[in-house]
């Protein structure tokens, strides 16, 4: 009995000792002997000065897997780019640009083990898999997957032939994703020095990839492809970027020809893209702040298609990291009543066909007198129908205070009320142009509005205004130092000024519309060291003979001039006076 009791104690001590002993894989040399690199894929991770938790051990296993995977990826990056060459440039580019990643799915056959040293407070994790088991699985996977892709191509062809383009597209996208998994498996086998074509099926994969791309291109060009089908394809392409776990992606509202304008097509495109991208686990967020990437879809008309381009951009720099394209037939959209052109653009196109017809084009009015009738213009569309509610700005070309806005009525009639024309030029213009901002009723910035005005034709016209009643009679009396002065310096200067203003002169006041009286006199002043001074006095008045109104009247007294004699001094004073009177007269008609 005593011996039996001692044996039990010895067995307990032995079990305790074995339990406390660390597994051999904790030590590097032992790990290498037990799991040689030519027979096993391995990964190892440890953490010191820690307390045991289940979460800690799970994280260490993840870190060990990551080490194993990173070693595979290094091998793949150096081997697969040499060994696996796609047949055409497009598929080759897609393969090389799409990261080969095993982070989200365990390698089949991968096992894990953990150990925690409670005395040293050190945690260990070890993952491993035998080459033979991994090779066996992935070799079988490649053989099965390539067969499935071949069947998928045949099925997609049947779907497309029967007009089921959505089913054809889904089948081809699944096949494309399956081929990517095949390439992952090929890369993994290459990292383990498996190079035979019978196992890898590189040539078969390349041929299948080409067929998938050709069939996909055929389906994408079909007029039966819907906006939802296109969004499915684009969201798939976005998902192939394989965003990191910490990435945040914000989808901006789509634009039309780079204009931030809305349409039912744009709304559907945005909704479908976001909905399908979320299903494909693209990390979309609703707030743009702090995002890693932004997605922007831009669409425009191109012949019988609406072309769509989706850019994925780095949020920090704004640089594009990827771009994907597609199209939907206009006939497909019109059959479902989907409006693909924003209302603002449609209105501008209607406006571009508009015809503006002044009635009449040339208007004769009396200068500076009330105009009883408005200037009239008719606005019609491309087929001659009157256009109602088209707003116009109008502005006089030479007088800034004659301006305003009007709109066409139900008959397409625009009436511009002008009180009078007070600028005495014989030929003038009243310009009219569509007020694009009011017409579109848009709450947009000036920059976008100016772009729209530059990109689309904005109708404009003018009225030609011919003035009547510009005949002027001048009654001038000029003396020089008390004697009659026939050269009439001040009067001649005023004639020059009124000629520039559009007046002509008559010799009989009965044929004149305006009467001007000019009185000019001078007197001598003093003399100082051989310099003589004289003074000019000028009175000018201008009367509208039609209304009897005195338009302008003013006296200029003691305008000083200097010279070598009193006469030359008086002439200098006249020159100064004529310039001053002329400038002030001009201001009355500007």
């Amino acid at each position: 009995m005593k011996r039996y009791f001692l044996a039990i104690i010895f067995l307990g001590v032995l079990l305790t000792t074995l339990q406390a002993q660390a597994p051999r894989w904790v030590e590097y040399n032992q790990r290498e002997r037990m799991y040689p690199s030519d027979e096993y894929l391995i990964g190892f991770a440890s953490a010191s000065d820690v307390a045991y938790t289940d979460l800690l051990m799970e994280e260490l296993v993840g870190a060990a897997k990551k080490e194993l995977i990173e070693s595979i990826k290094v091998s793949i990056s150096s081997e697969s780019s040499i060994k696996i060459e796609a047949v055409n440039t497009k598929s080759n580019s897609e393969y090389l640009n799409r990261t080969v990643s095993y982070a989200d799915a365990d390698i089949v056959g991968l096992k894990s083990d953990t150990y925690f040293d409670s005395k040293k407070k050190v945690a260990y994790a070890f993952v491993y898999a035998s080459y033979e088991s991994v090779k066996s699985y992935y070799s079988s996977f490649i053989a099965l997957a390539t067969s499935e892709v071949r069947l998928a191509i045949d099925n997609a062809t049947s779907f497309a032939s029967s007009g089921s383009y959505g089913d054809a597209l889904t089948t081809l996208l699944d096949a494309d994703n399956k081929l990517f998994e095949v390439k992952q498996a090929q890369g993994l086998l290459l990292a383990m020095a498996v190079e035979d074509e019978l196992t890898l099926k590189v040539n078969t994969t390349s041929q299948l990839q080409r067929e998938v791309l050709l069939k996909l291109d055929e389906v994408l060009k079909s007029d039966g492809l819907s906006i939802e089908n296109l969004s499915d394809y684009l969201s798939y392409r976005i998902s192939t970027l394989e965003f990191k776990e910490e990435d945040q992606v914000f989808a901006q509202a789509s634009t039309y020809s780079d204009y931030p304008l809305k349409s039912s097509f744009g709304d559907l495109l945005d909704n479908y893209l976001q909905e399908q991208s979320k299903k494909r686990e693209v990390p979309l967020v609703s707030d743009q702040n702090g995002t890693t990437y932004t997605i922007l879809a831009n669409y425009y008309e191109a012949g019988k298609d609406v072309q769509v381009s989706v850019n994925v951009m780095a949020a920090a720099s704004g640089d594009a990291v990827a771009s994907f394209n597609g199209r939907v037939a206009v006939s497909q959209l019109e059959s479902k009543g989907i409006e693909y052109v924003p209302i603002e653009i449609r209105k501008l196109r209607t406006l571009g066909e508009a015809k503006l017809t002044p009635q009449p084009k040339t208007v004769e009015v009396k200068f500076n007198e009330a105009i009883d009738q408005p200037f009239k213009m008719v606005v019609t569309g491309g087929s001659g129908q009157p256009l109602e509610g088209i707003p116009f700005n109008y502005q006089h070309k030479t007088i800034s205070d004659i301006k305003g806005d009007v709109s066409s009525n139900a008959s397409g009639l625009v009436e511009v009320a002008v009180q009078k024309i007070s600028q005495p030029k014989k030929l003038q213009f009243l310009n009219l142009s569509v007020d694009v901002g009011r017409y579109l009723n848009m709450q947009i910035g000036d920059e976008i509005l100016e772009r729209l005005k530059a990109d689309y034709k904005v109708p404009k016209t003018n009225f030609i205004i011919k003035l009547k009643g510009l005949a002027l009679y001048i009654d001038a009396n000029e003396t020089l130092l008390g004697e009659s002065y026939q050269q009439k310096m001040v009067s001649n200067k005023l004639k020059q000024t009124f000629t520039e203003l559009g007046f002509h002169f008559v010799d009989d006041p009965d044929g004149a519309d305006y009467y001007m009286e000019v009185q000019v006199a001078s007197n001598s002043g003093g003399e100082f060291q051989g310099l003589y001074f004289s003074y000019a006095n000028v009175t000018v008045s201008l009367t509208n003979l039609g209304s009897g109104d005195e338009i302008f009247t003013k006296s200029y007294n003691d305008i000083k001039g200097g010279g070598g004699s009193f006469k030359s001094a008086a002439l200098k004073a006249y020159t100064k006076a004529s310039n001053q009177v002329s400038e002030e007269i001009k201001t009355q008609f500007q």
Side-chain angles (χ1 to χ4, degrees):
M1 184 69 178
K2 185 175 182 181
R3 289 180 182 177
Y4 178 71
F5 180 72
L6 289 173
I8 291 175
I9 293 174
F10 175 76
L11 181 60
V13 172
L14 179 61
L15 289 172
T16 303
T17 303
L18 289 173
Q19 241 181 357
Q21 185 177 358
R24 287 189 295 169
W25 55 259
V26 170
E27 298 294 333
Y28 175 80
N29 291 333
Q30 293 283 358
R31 190 164 62 247
E32 286 294 308
R33 281 196 292 270
M34 293 173 64
Y35 303 95
S37 58
D38 59 345
E39 296 180 19
Y40 287 90
L41 296 170
I42 62 172
F44 177 80
S46 65
S48 302
D49 195 24
V50 293
Y52 177 89
T53 65
D54 291 339
L55 178 60
L56 170 66
M57 305 312 286
E58 288 178 11
E59 289 176 346
L60 277 179
V61 169
K65 286 182 180 179
K66 186 175 180 181
E67 182 193 68
L68 181 150
I69 290 164
E70 289 301 320
S71 67
I72 294 173
K73 287 171 67 175
V74 169
S75 178
I76 290 172
S77 65
S78 62
E79 296 286 343
S80 64
S81 60
I82 299 172
K83 301 293 184 181
I84 299 181
E85 294 182 356
V87 174
N88 58 56
T89 303
K90 184 174 182 181
S91 58
N92 183 51
S93 174
E94 288 184 357
Y95 171 71
L96 293 179
N97 288 335
R98 190 173 176 186
T99 305
V100 178
S101 172
Y102 300 90
D104 297 330
D106 289 339
I107 295 174
V108 173
L110 195 65
K111 299 177 182 179
S112 64
D113 199 359
T114 60
Y115 171 71
F116 183 77
D117 189 328
S118 58
K119 290 184 178 180
K120 296 180 180 180
K121 294 184 179 180
V122 180
Y124 303 90
F126 178 57
V127 294
Y128 59 96
S130 72
Y131 274 18
E132 289 305 319
S133 63
V134 173
K135 286 179 185 178
S136 176
Y137 173 81
Y138 285 104
S139 297
S140 299
F141 171 78
I142 291 172
L144 178 61
T146 51
S147 297
E148 290 175 345
V149 170
R150 165 53 59 198
L151 179 61
I153 294 171
D154 294 340
N155 289 338
T157 301
S158 298
F159 283 134
S161 299
S162 63
S164 300
Y165 297 106
D167 292 333
L169 182 65
T170 300
T171 302
L172 290 169
L173 293 182
D174 289 343
D176 184 74
N177 195 60
K178 180 68 71 174
L179 285 173
F180 177 64
E181 293 176 2
V182 168
K183 291 170 184 176
Q184 286 182 312
Q186 289 169 335
L188 181 60
L189 292 176
L190 278 169
M192 297 188 299
V194 177
E195 299 181 0
D196 64 287
E197 171 63 22
L198 185 62
T199 300
L200 294 177
K201 297 187 182 300
V202 174
N203 293 331
T204 299
T205 304
S206 298
Q207 175 62 30
L208 290 171
Q209 181 72 76
R210 181 168 57 225
E211 291 185 41
V212 167
L213 292 175
L214 289 173
K215 184 59 65 175
L216 189 58
D217 185 61
E218 178 185 321
V219 171
L220 290 171
K221 288 180 179 178
S222 167
D223 288 350
L225 197 73
S226 70
I227 182 175
E228 187 173 9
N229 298 149
L230 174 63
S231 302
D232 190 24
Y233 166 73
L234 293 172
S235 67
Y236 172 77
R237 287 299 178 214
I238 293 170
S239 70
T240 62
L241 296 175
E242 294 187 351
F243 299 99
K244 297 176 183 176
E245 185 177 351
E246 65 271 18
D247 286 340
Q248 292 185 334
V249 182
F250 178 76
Q252 298 179 341
S254 60
T255 58
Y256 171 84
S257 294
D258 296 322
Y259 282 109
L261 305 174
K262 296 178 69 64
S263 71
S264 56
F265 177 88
D267 290 341
L268 284 172
L269 180 64
D270 291 342
N271 291 337
Y272 285 142
L273 266 180
Q274 291 192 43
E275 178 183 308
Q276 292 163 350
S277 294
K278 286 179 180 178
K279 288 181 180 178
R280 298 186 188 279
E281 298 183 352
V282 176
L284 292 179
V285 293
S286 57
D287 188 352
Q288 191 170 4
N289 294 327
T291 54
T292 319
Y293 298 99
T294 57
I295 297 174
L296 175 62
N298 182 60
Y299 61 97
Y300 57 94
E301 297 153 276
K304 296 181 179 180
D305 296 333
V306 173
Q307 294 284 342
V308 179
S309 176
V310 175
N311 288 319
V312 181
M313 297 163 289
S317 64
D319 295 333
V321 297
S323 181
F324 309 108
N325 301 298
R327 42 75 72 189
V328 179
V330 168
S331 58
Q332 168 70 208
L333 300 176
E334 290 179 342
S335 68
K336 296 185 177 180
I338 299 174
E339 187 54 66
Y340 52 91
V341 180
I343 180 63
E344 295 85 359
I345 302 300
R346 282 182 279 145
K347 291 179 71 174
L348 284 172
R349 289 177 179 174
T350 300
L351 196 63
E353 298 175 352
K355 182 180 180 182
L356 311 182
T357 308
Q359 296 181 340
K361 174 77 170 178
T362 302
V363 182
E364 289 190 352
V365 298
K366 278 253 185 180
F367 167 66
N368 214 31
E369 290 188 1
I371 300 173
D372 297 331
Q373 296 295 322
F375 295 7
K376 297 181 180 181
M377 178 185 69
V378 174
V379 187
T380 53
S383 58
Q385 78 281 12
L387 297 181
E388 182 181 7
I390 307 297
F392 287 86
N393 289 324
Y394 65 88
Q395 186 165 7
H396 197 280
K397 192 171 183 179
T398 54
I399 306 179
S400 60
D401 63 346
I402 299 183
K403 57 185 177 182
D405 52 71
V406 289
S407 296
S408 58
N409 62 20
S411 301
L413 180 65
V414 176
E415 295 185 328
V416 181
V418 178
Q419 300 301 317
K420 65 179 180 178
I421 300 296
S422 56
Q423 166 63 273
K425 288 186 177 294
K426 286 186 177 180
L427 193 64
Q428 302 179 40
F429 301 91
L430 186 66
N431 299 318
L432 288 90
S433 61
V434 174
D435 186 334
V436 178
R438 283 199 299 139
Y439 175 64
L440 297 180
N441 192 26
M442 294 175 64
Q443 301 298 320
I444 59 175
D446 292 338
E447 181 181 349
I448 295 174
L449 183 59
E450 291 305 313
R451 279 181 54 203
L452 287 169
K453 289 163 68 174
D455 290 346
Y456 293 90
K457 178 184 175 183
V458 179
K460 59 182 66 175
T461 190
N462 59 36
F463 289 96
I464 300 173
I465 302 172
K466 288 185 177 180
L467 289 194
K468 299 184 297 182
L470 296 178
L472 175 64
Y473 175 81
I474 297 181
D475 182 8
N477 179 25
E478 297 191 26
T479 62
L480 182 65
L481 298 176
E483 298 180 359
S484 178
Y485 182 60
Q486 299 300 319
Q487 294 186 17
K488 297 184 178 179
M489 183 180 292
V490 176
S491 301
N492 288 338
K493 178 66 176 179
L494 287 173
K495 279 188 176 183
Q496 179 183 341
T497 298
F498 275 92
T499 299
E500 293 173 357
L501 292 172
F503 284 80
H504 66 278
F505 303 95
V506 294
D507 297 328
D508 187 344
D510 290 338
D513 295 286
Y514 296 90
Y515 173 81
M516 174 175 279
E517 183 178 5
V518 181
Q519 297 291 333
V520 181
S522 58
N523 57 279
S524 57
E527 179 266 339
F528 179 73
Q529 295 183 350
L531 182 63
Y532 295 85
F533 298 96
S534 295
Y535 298 89
N537 299 287
V538 179
T539 300
V540 177
S541 65
L542 179 66
T543 303
N544 184 331
L545 295 177
S547 65
D549 295 332
E550 193 171 53
I551 296 172
F552 178 83
T553 182
K554 190 168 184 179
S555 295
Y556 304 83
N557 298 317
D558 296 330
I559 297 175
K560 185 178 180 180
S565 65
F566 286 120
K567 183 176 180 180
S568 64
L571 291 174
K572 290 283 183 68
Y574 282 4
T575 298
K576 188 184 296 184
S578 63
N579 288 335
Q580 185 174 344
V581 174
S582 177
E583 289 303 315
E584 291 201 29
I585 286 287
K586 282 183 180 179
T587 61
Q588 301 301 309
F589 302 103
Q590 292 176 347

